[in-house]
Amino acid sequence: MSNQQQRSIWRPYCQMKTAPPPLEIVSAHDFELTTADGRSLIDGMASWWSVCHGYNHPHVVESVSQQLAKMPHVMFGGITHEPAERLAARLAALLPADLNHVFFADSGSVAVEVAMKMAVGYWRRRGQANRQRFLSFTHAYHGDTTGAMSLCDPQRSMHADYGKAILSQFHCPLPVDEITEDACHQLLSVHQGEVAGIFIEPLVQGAGGMRFHSASTVSRIRRLCDEHEVLMIADEIATGFGRTGTMFAIDACDVVPDIICLGKALTAGTMTMAVSVACGRVFDAFWSDRTGDALMHGPTFMANPLACAAANASLDLFESEPRVEQAHSMELKLRMGLSPARSLPGVVDVRCRGAIGVIQVESLHDVEELRQNLVDAGVWLRPFGDCVYVTPPLNLPDPLVEQLCNTIVDVMGKRQPIRLS
Ligand SMILES: *Cc1c(COP(=O)(O)O)cnc(C)c1O
């Protein structure tokens, strides 16, 4: 690729001047990506957690094609359509309690922004206009737009650059035990009346470090929210749709948040769409005779019919195929497949939950070389931070799970032992 070509596109999360050129992919099918030079790679990360049924699932392709012929898009202001109506009703039915009020956003980060606006707007309409800030946790990741960035772990975020352009929020360690719960409690007490909501990625924190916590931690957060009367906002953009072994991570915690954000696998990895779903009391705060009480937000491509058709088709597959059970049972397979990595030099931890496998190492200073070696061995992964992780399609067949795990262990084992810097 010429230098000029490399400068014409801004690449995500990458120093373009020194990074190797991106891998050109020409097609994707089932569980594999095909490179421009004709190689097939197992996609170990399902295109950032999104391709939950594998690429080009015929039912999804068929549904989107039919919608494409009928109406690829129409604005959502003052207009509605069947794909959106049906999807909203289905999401409401899948989610617990009265999480019934679906706002269609165009990406995960925007869904987080909308949830922030819902929370602050909720309190203002309830006469508590000072509740404008949020609490989030160490290792949190909630997105890349400026509002969402403010919720990311400020120490470990990819966004340390921006100073006062980013809102100032409250951060503390996850309440994993009584001591950390008490610290959280103290923080909320000191800032009584200032906090609109707590953001949590239930059970699995994603891009902020691929860390797991227990259902009891999520319950503690719900308790803290109730005690301090703040909203609980579950960011299930990564964990939603089976990834952790239940349809939603909160299903395994017996906890109902006030707002939940979903994205990534929502459209089975075909189209950009996310949702923020609010409970009755949040929705009702905006439901009034005064126009000024409305929620003022509306992306141009809100509830895009193609994306809704893809999401509806994906939900069909969750109904007709044992997708969630497959994710659940993948945990044991990944555990077995990745556990040999425990004995490799520099490996700190190997952990799996649902269809997520993480190998944490001391440091990954030769990450480009590792990525290249994995590609040469037929696997696509994107190690980052101190983790080599897999989030494959939930229905990745056993032989490919084996091949994926064996290749990772093999390639990591052949590396130079990791030096402690
Ligand atoms: C990916 C992700 C986001 C952001 O979603 P985008 O679609 O990339 O904007 C937010 N929160 C979590 C937990 C995520 O994994």
Side-chain angles (χ1 to χ4, degrees):
M1 204 175 292
S2 77
N3 203 278
Q4 201 48 47
Q5 274 172 308
Q6 282 185 45
R7 288 169 59 87
S8 65
I9 296 177
W10 287 71
R11 312 281 323 155
Y13 305 122
C14 144
Q15 175 42 266
M16 295 181 286
K17 188 171 180 196
T18 54
L23 189 65
E24 189 179 347
I25 298 298
V26 291
S27 65
H29 208 267
D30 296 338
F31 310 102
E32 291 183 333
L33 308 173
T34 305
T35 63
D37 59 6
R39 289 174 294 162
S40 288
L41 309 178
I42 302 176
D43 184 357
M45 51 188 308
S47 278
W48 271 329
W49 316 56
S50 67
V51 183
C52 51
H53 313 290
Y55 291 94
N56 303 353
H57 191 289
H59 180 61
V60 179
V61 171
E62 176 64 20
S63 304
V64 174
S65 307
Q66 284 181 9
Q67 186 60 45
L68 181 64
K70 222 185 289 174
M71 180 174 69
H73 185 61
V74 65
M75 66 187 287
F76 211 56
I79 285 176
T80 191
H81 49 76
E82 189 271 348
E85 297 284 340
R86 200 152 70 88
L87 179 57
R90 294 175 85 180
L91 291 172
L94 281 170
L95 289 165
D98 67 340
L99 284 167
N100 289 341
H101 308 278
V102 179
F103 189 98
F104 289 102
D106 34 14
S107 74
S109 300
V110 172
V112 167
E113 301 281 343
V114 170
M116 293 171 82
K117 286 171 73 172
M118 284 176 173
V120 172
Y122 167 77
W123 288 114
R124 176 177 288 277
R125 284 155 185 74
R126 297 269 309 255
Q128 297 202 46
N130 280 335
R131 291 188 182 269
Q132 298 176 359
R133 295 176 72 186
F134 293 90
L135 173 65
S136 62
F137 298 102
T138 311
H139 291 286
Y141 174 78
H142 295 289
D144 287 352
T145 52
T146 53
M149 274 164 65
S150 71
L151 303 167
C152 297
D153 181 327
Q155 246 69 58
R156 293 166 186 82
S157 80
M158 297 170 267
H159 321 299
D161 250 14
Y162 303 96
K164 293 225 169 60
I166 306 301
L167 294 169
S168 156
Q169 310 290 11
F170 302 112
H171 308 276
C172 70
L174 275 167
V176 295
D177 54 23
E178 275 172 34
I179 297 166
T180 43
E181 177 173 357
D182 202 50
C184 224
H185 181 72
Q186 294 298 327
L187 185 64
L188 289 164
S189 301
V190 170
H191 296 283
Q192 195 72 41
E194 291 175 56
V195 180
I198 299 182
F199 270 87
I200 170 69
E201 295 154 88
L203 296 185
V204 176
Q205 292 177 302
M210 301 299 297
R211 294 164 73 97
F212 303 165
H213 53 265
S214 69
S216 59
T217 297
V218 182
S219 306
R220 273 194 201 94
I221 293 167
R222 179 70 265 184
R223 247 193 345 259
L224 283 161
C225 288
D226 293 340
E227 270 171 46
H228 294 272
E229 280 196 78
V230 303
L231 298 179
M232 178 178 180
I233 303 157
D235 178 350
E236 290 226 36
I237 290 166
T239 53
F241 303 105
R243 181 56 65 182
T244 63
T246 51
M247 190 61 171
F248 304 106
I250 51 164
D251 295 345
C253 307
D254 216 13
V255 157
V256 183
D258 299 292
I259 302 173
I260 188 168
C261 301
L262 304 170
K264 288 197 163 81
L266 172 63
T267 66
T270 58
M271 225 89 58
T272 175
M273 189 168 74
V275 291
S276 311
V277 186
C279 69
R281 75 172 164 134
V282 170
F283 182 79
D284 286 343
F286 295 81
W287 177 272
S288 111
D289 293 322
R290 296 189 312 186
T291 45
D293 282 341
L295 176 65
M296 299 306 280
H297 202 100
T300 305
F301 288 98
M302 185 169 182
N304 171 255
L306 293 175
C308 290
N312 276 314
S314 178
L315 293 184
D316 293 342
L317 293 175
F318 275 102
E319 285 169 12
S320 63
E321 297 183 13
R323 199 63 81 238
V324 176
E325 292 85 89
Q326 286 170 326
H328 180 76
S329 62
M330 199 183 298
E331 180 170 321
L332 189 61
K333 296 169 191 173
L334 290 176
R335 228 181 259 287
M336 285 167 63
L338 296 177
S339 70
R342 281 182 198 282
S343 57
L344 297 177
V347 170
V348 175
D349 188 30
V350 177
R351 52 183 179 267
C352 302
R353 180 164 290 169
I356 303 168
V358 183
I359 301 173
Q360 189 181 339
V361 298
E362 294 279 0
S363 76
L364 264 185
H365 46 71
D366 49 358
V367 58
E368 290 300 345
E369 185 189 326
L370 175 61
R371 182 151 63 205
Q372 187 57 51
N373 292 345
L374 286 162
V375 167
D376 291 342
V379 161
W380 174 248
L381 286 180
R382 211 178 131 87
F384 78 93
D386 57 0
C387 292
V388 179
Y389 75 99
V390 297
T391 54
L394 307 182
N395 54 343
L396 187 70
D398 288 357
L400 292 181
V401 176
E402 274 169 30
Q403 199 183 328
L404 176 64
C405 293
N406 290 341
T407 305
I408 294 167
V409 173
D410 224 44
V411 168
M412 289 183 73
K414 284 197 193 109
R415 302 165 72 211
Q416 293 297 311
I418 296 155
R419 294 179 306 273
L420 295 173
S421 41

